Amino acid sequence: MKIAVAGSGYVGLVSGACFADFGHDVVCVDKDQSKIDRLHDGVMPIYEPGLDALVETNVKAGRLTFTTDLAEGIRGAAAIFIAVGTPSRRGDGHADLTYVHAVAREVGEALAHDCVVVTKSTVPVGTGDEVERIIADTGCAHRVSVVSNPEFLREGAAIGDFKRPDRIVIGAEDDFGRETMRQVYRPLHLNQSPILFTNRRTSELIKYAANAFLATKITFINEMADLCEKVGADVQDVSRGIGMDGRIGPKFLHAGPGYGGSCFPKDTLALLKTAEDAGAPSRIVEAVVKVNDTRKRAMGRKVLDALGGPEAARGKTAALLGLTFKPNTDDMRDSPAIAVAQALGDAGVEVKAYDPEGMELAAPLMPAVTMCKSAYDAIEGADAVVIVTEWDAFRALDLARVKDLANAPVLVDLRNVYRPDEVRAAGFEYSSIGRAGPKEAS
Ligand code: UGA
């Protein structure tokens, strides 16, 4: 089956490479000539474990090609996926659909056969209707079924998530759309991945509801973590204790510095706008967005406390370990590290940092921060070491070496990577998230 994917960002490239790996004949299209040139040279535009090897294998097998020419890319394709970005529109938080609409128009103008057009980008309810209208307005005389097929993959685990999904959601309005999508996902269906068929608007909403629910789960446990610190409880045990209830489930209950990334912040805002416009405002999601924003800034204050309070902190140095919004990505979008670095800089603290993959993208976002060659390089001379992102490389730091290099044995662990008793036994002043200890209980 021939498949075209418009947009070679995270979702487009991973989907395209995985579809090719299933045996489909895939063309990935992107307007950005330099991105396509680099892909032809085997250079990935993003850091995602396993993606380069998957792309290389499928390019060599002749199943995966790249082009900037949309009209050429979609020629003969049974399914055309729209996987371009839908950033937050500046000012109002609505999803910006400029790129989605532009692709729909170009597809309508170039189409010379019947096909299914699939929105894989995260798009507000009703976008499929608009895509259908745009294509019809181009005067396209062929049968086009517009389908919604949201993607649920996580950065850093994208290939596994795509190939072994909890579910595939397909919103279609006719049999042609449903049957074509069944063929697209046949290899996954054979692996027993469940497929939920529904209508287009429901499918579009499922994506936002899923992300908003996950963001709510994280924000809930983060608030419980604050409460734990006040009342002398341990949030990790609270997570385990509630997560063992099958109705709650153990995942996404890891307390931390607040969620970030390219999806939760943008999608919660877009859902709020949709809900408001529809006259069914979501108070819960509104609170989640506010609480999460406040939390990221509060993490800076936590570090200042560890440095002896705002007065004492002035002129001291903090070492940030991890800058990306989560490990195994180079993505800095809405990373809590940005708010932490900002708060520390504002308080007159000098900030050094190290991240295994994120420093190139982080540097322009935090110009006052000194980027270092290694974790230990950042730690040297620091008055506090702060774990902001839980990269594996920071899970087994040589604590004796950290103590030798640092100016003071102060560790702030915003991801609860370490055990309080062990770190304190190694002679550190240790603060973490929602785990009452000698320093944290009051
Ligand atoms: C998220 C969803 O998990 C995917 O299902 C979805 O497809 C994707 O958004 C999207 O809409 O494209 P992603 O943003 O890659 O994926 O990352 P997550 O692993 O979900 O993490 C998001 C944020 O929540 C990170 O900042 C992470 O540190 C934080 N988080 C996650 C927690 O603080 N605690 C947790 O227990 C889990």
Side-chain angles (χ1 to χ4, degrees):
M1 181 176 210
K2 181 171 174 192
I3 292 176
V5 184
S8 300
Y10 235 105
V11 169
L13 192 55
V14 170
S15 308
C18 290
F19 282 140
D21 213 44
F22 294 163
H24 294 312
D25 179 10
V26 179
V27 184
C28 283
V29 185
D30 203 286
K31 284 243 172 293
D32 183 342
Q33 181 73 54
S34 67
K35 191 187 268 186
I36 295 296
D37 289 346
R38 273 178 285 143
L39 281 165
H40 278 139
D41 292 339
V43 180
M44 298 302 108
I46 47 167
Y47 172 76
E48 179 62 34
L51 184 61
D52 43 3
L54 192 74
V55 167
E56 189 187 339
T57 309
N58 286 284
V59 167
K60 276 201 182 127
R63 291 190 295 262
L64 181 61
T65 54
F66 304 101
T67 178
T68 52
D69 186 342
L70 185 74
E72 180 201 305
I74 66 172
R75 195 170 301 139
I80 301 168
F81 282 82
I82 302 180
V84 291
T86 52
S88 276
R89 200 162 63 190
R90 228 181 298 159
D92 66 1
H94 263 297
D96 183 345
L97 297 174
T98 313
Y99 304 118
V100 172
H101 292 168
V103 171
R105 203 165 301 116
E106 259 192 82
V107 166
E109 282 162 0
L111 259 188
H113 63 287
D114 296 349
C115 71
V116 172
V117 171
V118 192
T119 42
K120 206 169 226 334
S121 307
T122 299
V123 292
V125 178
T127 303
D129 302 359
E130 186 60 18
V131 166
E132 197 169 82
R133 253 191 309 273
I134 291 171
I135 294 174
D137 284 351
T138 61
C140 170
H142 298 277
R143 178 161 66 142
V144 179
S145 175
V146 176
V147 168
S148 157
N149 170 221
E151 186 47 57
F152 299 100
L153 56 80
R154 288 163 303 166
E155 292 186 14
I159 294 166
D161 283 352
F162 193 94
K163 291 190 159 185
R164 287 175 295 281
D166 287 345
R167 79 308 203 181
I168 296 155
V169 174
I170 292 168
E173 300 293 321
D174 54 40
D175 285 340
F176 176 46
R178 272 185 289 273
E179 200 37 53
T180 306
M181 293 307 285
R182 224 174 245 127
Q183 292 311 318
V184 168
Y185 281 108
R186 222 176 87 82
L188 274 182
H189 200 43
L190 294 175
N191 287 349
Q192 318 261 303
S193 298
I195 302 190
L196 171 71
F197 283 100
T198 180
N199 66 41
R200 208 163 51 202
R201 285 178 166 246
T202 308
S203 166
E204 289 167 341
L205 185 55
I206 286 171
K207 169 68 192 188
Y208 282 103
N211 275 1
F213 191 83
L214 292 170
T216 304
K217 221 175 162 187
I218 296 167
T219 306
F220 176 82
I221 203 65
N222 284 342
E223 281 200 329
M224 287 300 115
D226 290 348
L227 180 57
C228 285
E229 288 178 22
K230 298 287 181 205
V231 301
D234 181 323
V235 74
Q236 285 184 303
D237 284 347
V238 171
S239 295
R240 273 187 218 112
I242 64 173
M244 283 174 188
D245 184 328
R247 293 169 300 176
I248 296 173
K251 293 183 183 165
F252 276 69
L253 285 178
H254 191 72
Y259 62 77
S262 62
C263 305
F264 289 171
K266 154 177 91 66
D267 294 350
T268 43
L269 279 183
L271 179 61
L272 283 185
K273 285 290 159 197
T274 301
E276 211 176 285
D277 291 352
S282 171
R283 301 283 177 245
I284 292 177
V285 181
E286 241 169 70
V288 166
V289 169
K290 277 199 194 117
V291 170
N292 192 65
D293 282 350
T294 312
R295 181 171 192 81
K296 289 184 191 170
R297 285 193 294 276
M299 291 300 115
R301 285 197 295 279
K302 197 173 176 80
V303 179
L304 291 178
D305 286 346
L307 285 167
E311 284 307 314
R314 192 161 289 280
K316 287 188 175 172
T317 302
L320 303 188
L321 303 188
L323 296 171
T324 50
F325 81 97
K326 67 173 191 175
N328 299 321
T329 177
D330 61 355
D331 202 331
M332 282 298 300
R333 282 175 285 182
D334 276 306
S335 173
I338 300 170
V340 172
Q342 183 76 51
L344 293 175
D346 290 349
V349 175
E350 196 188 314
V351 183
K352 295 160 81 184
Y354 171 73
D355 187 282
E357 296 293 337
M359 292 194 294
E360 204 181 312
L361 293 176
L365 300 173
M366 36 183 85
V369 173
T370 308
M371 298 294 165
C372 299
K373 287 194 186 67
S374 70
Y376 294 106
D377 190 15
I379 289 165
E380 195 169 359
D383 298 287
V385 176
V386 187
I387 297 177
V388 186
T389 313
E390 70 277 33
W391 284 90
D392 279 347
F394 308 143
R395 286 177 185 274
L397 290 170
D398 176 347
L399 292 180
R401 190 171 166 204
V402 172
K403 214 169 150 199
D404 272 355
L405 285 172
N407 201 27
V410 175
L411 183 61
V412 184
D413 180 358
L414 301 181
R415 300 285 184 169
N416 289 352
V417 167
Y418 286 92
R419 285 185 44 182
D421 50 348
E422 276 178 9
V423 184
R424 290 195 178 110
F428 281 83
E429 267 182 47
Y430 178 72
S431 51
S432 58
I433 302 287
R435 295 188 298 179
K439 276 285 290 174
E440 289 151 5
S442 59

